[in-house]
Amino acid sequence: MKIRILTPTYNEEKNIHVLHKKIQTIMSNLNLEYEHVVIDNSSTDNTIKYIREIAHIDKNFKAIINNRNYGQIKSPFYGLVDSDADATILMVSDLQDPIEMIPKLIDKFKKGYEIVLLQKKHNNESFFYKIIKNNYYKLLNTLSDHSPDKNVIGSGIYSLNVVNVLKNIYDPTPYLRGMIYEIGFKIKLIPFDQPKRAKGISKNNFFSLLDYGILGIVKHTKLARFLTIFGFCFSFISLFVALIFLFLKILFWESFSLGVAPIIIGLFALSGIQMFFLGLIGEYVIVILDYNKKLPLVMEKERINF
């Protein structure tokens, strides 16, 4: 049995040596054939330099260097579907996915699970982020036919059967954490406590997380249909209120005053809803344009040790 351990990197010079050493130690104890593949998003620090140094002394350590930074969605997915191993383990390179979980993942895979995912029980996010994420997952599960589990980002082990299915899906912006629930394989979860990031800085910020969130809603929910129903209901209510005002004015022509407030409130409410609808349509148009461009997911600059 061959295992690929995939760790995407971008500016991880402070973690790459520790990451390699931990994986090497654990896999040597398991006595399995393996390859540790790093897919690097054209790092601007010394990460690529250190990758070359490690690859020179460890032939199980391999690397794909991307032409540019393709982001945290495309690059990991590309490394995953590139695999021909019996099982592929996807983990982040900042050591916030504990490397010590690898034996548990492999054990679950040996028991027949096609997909085994790591699920964060506890993390160090702020209270503000936790509230947003909790409500986001509730919205996603409400509007989706399939319900992604909370606090799952895609880290885990995937069988070759799953990888082969993913290879046949053309998606220019593959939202992995939604896609794996959509394709229908049974998923096993392993809860873990996420440690603090020891070195380096996170590449995520509020706007990148917002981008991922919108992508997940647009690609893996029926929000457009929900908004169509909402628009119909809002139109019906608006017509009903307008008729009430009309009848009141006709019946009490002298005493009933419409006033400016209802007009202003109605105008701003309708304008806000229209802008939201236009923004949503724009998101769908962007997704359609991405599909029509048919650009490659990732352009490689170099492969090391393959």
Side-chain angles (χ1 to χ4, degrees):
M1 183 174 66
K2 181 181 178 182
I3 304 291
R4 169 178 285 197
I5 301 171
L6 177 68
T7 55
T9 59
Y10 179 69
N11 290 352
E12 293 289 353
E13 62 179 2
K14 295 181 180 179
N15 291 312
I16 190 68
H17 282 103
V18 178
L19 177 72
H20 163 254
K21 193 64 181 176
K22 282 192 171 188
I23 291 176
Q24 186 183 47
T25 301
I26 285 176
M27 293 308 295
S28 61
N29 291 335
L30 292 176
N31 197 27
L32 291 171
E33 182 186 358
Y34 83 98
E35 58 181 9
H36 177 192
V37 178
V38 170
I39 180 164
D40 185 81
N41 253 332
S42 192
S43 292
T44 56
D45 61 0
N46 290 314
T47 302
I48 297 176
K49 174 188 172 184
Y50 296 153
I51 286 173
R52 295 184 193 280
E53 292 175 357
I54 296 169
H56 183 70
I57 60 174
D58 182 4
K59 295 306 176 183
N60 288 324
F61 184 85
K62 305 177 181 182
I64 301 172
I65 310 299
N66 295 340
N67 234 3
R68 65 174 180 84
N69 186 353
Y70 290 94
Q72 299 179 41
I73 292 178
K74 294 183 178 183
S75 187
F77 188 83
Y78 180 80
L80 181 62
V81 297
D82 176 74
S83 176
D84 59 357
D86 297 299
T88 303
I89 298 174
L90 175 62
M91 305 187 94
V92 296
S93 298
D94 58 10
L95 303 174
Q96 288 192 286
D97 289 339
I99 306 303
E100 293 74 21
M101 300 298 293
I102 288 177
K104 291 184 180 180
L105 290 170
I106 295 174
D107 181 60
K108 295 296 182 185
F109 169 72
K110 287 180 176 179
K111 290 179 179 178
Y113 292 99
E114 301 276 6
I115 302 176
V116 184
L117 299 178
L118 298 178
Q119 183 182 43
K120 291 180 283 187
K121 286 193 302 183
H122 171 76
N123 54 42
N124 300 288
E125 293 171 342
S126 68
F127 181 71
F128 174 69
Y129 271 126
K130 287 180 181 178
I131 291 177
I132 292 178
K133 285 179 69 175
N134 288 338
N135 287 294
Y136 169 75
Y137 281 112
K138 288 179 183 177
L139 177 65
L140 201 64
N141 292 338
T142 301
L143 300 176
S144 177
D145 290 335
H146 46 280
S147 300
D149 289 293
K150 182 180 173 183
N151 292 329
V152 169
I153 64 170
S155 298
I157 191 167
Y158 301 83
S159 72
L160 185 58
N161 291 333
V162 176
V163 171
N164 286 335
V165 171
L166 295 176
K167 283 179 183 179
N168 293 321
I169 300 174
Y170 173 72
D171 192 334
T173 49
Y175 187 74
L176 181 61
R177 68 182 74 176
M179 190 181 294
I180 54 180
Y181 285 89
E182 198 168 17
I183 58 179
F185 285 95
K186 187 177 179 181
I187 296 173
K188 175 69 175 176
L189 300 178
I190 299 181
F192 75 101
D193 291 319
Q194 186 183 52
K196 289 184 178 180
R197 186 183 178 107
K199 299 176 182 178
I201 58 173
S202 173
K203 312 305 181 296
N204 286 323
N205 54 48
F206 175 77
F207 295 104
S208 65
L209 294 174
L210 179 64
D211 184 44
Y212 302 151
I214 292 173
L215 181 65
I217 288 173
V218 168
K219 301 194 77 169
H220 295 283
T221 69
K222 295 181 178 178
L223 180 60
R225 186 173 297 172
F226 170 79
L227 292 179
T228 301
I229 298 170
F230 173 78
F232 174 80
C233 295
F234 187 81
S235 300
F236 180 79
I237 294 170
S238 299
L239 178 62
F240 182 71
V241 172
L243 288 173
I244 291 175
F245 270 82
L246 176 63
F247 287 133
L248 288 174
K249 184 62 180 176
I250 292 172
L251 294 174
F252 307 101
W253 188 268
E254 298 295 335
S255 60
F256 185 75
S257 176
L258 288 175
V260 180
I263 298 173
I264 294 177
I265 293 170
L267 177 64
F268 277 97
L270 184 60
S271 298
I273 292 171
Q274 286 178 331
M275 290 299 293
F276 178 72
F277 274 43
L278 286 172
L280 180 66
I281 292 170
E283 291 292 335
Y284 280 103
V285 170
I286 290 171
V287 170
I288 293 169
L289 286 174
D290 283 343
Y291 274 94
N292 288 334
K293 287 177 184 177
K294 298 188 183 300
L295 294 174
L297 199 61
V298 165
M299 288 291 290
E300 296 181 21
K301 181 179 180 180
E302 179 185 3
R303 285 194 171 213
I304 302 172
N305 267 357
F306 279 89

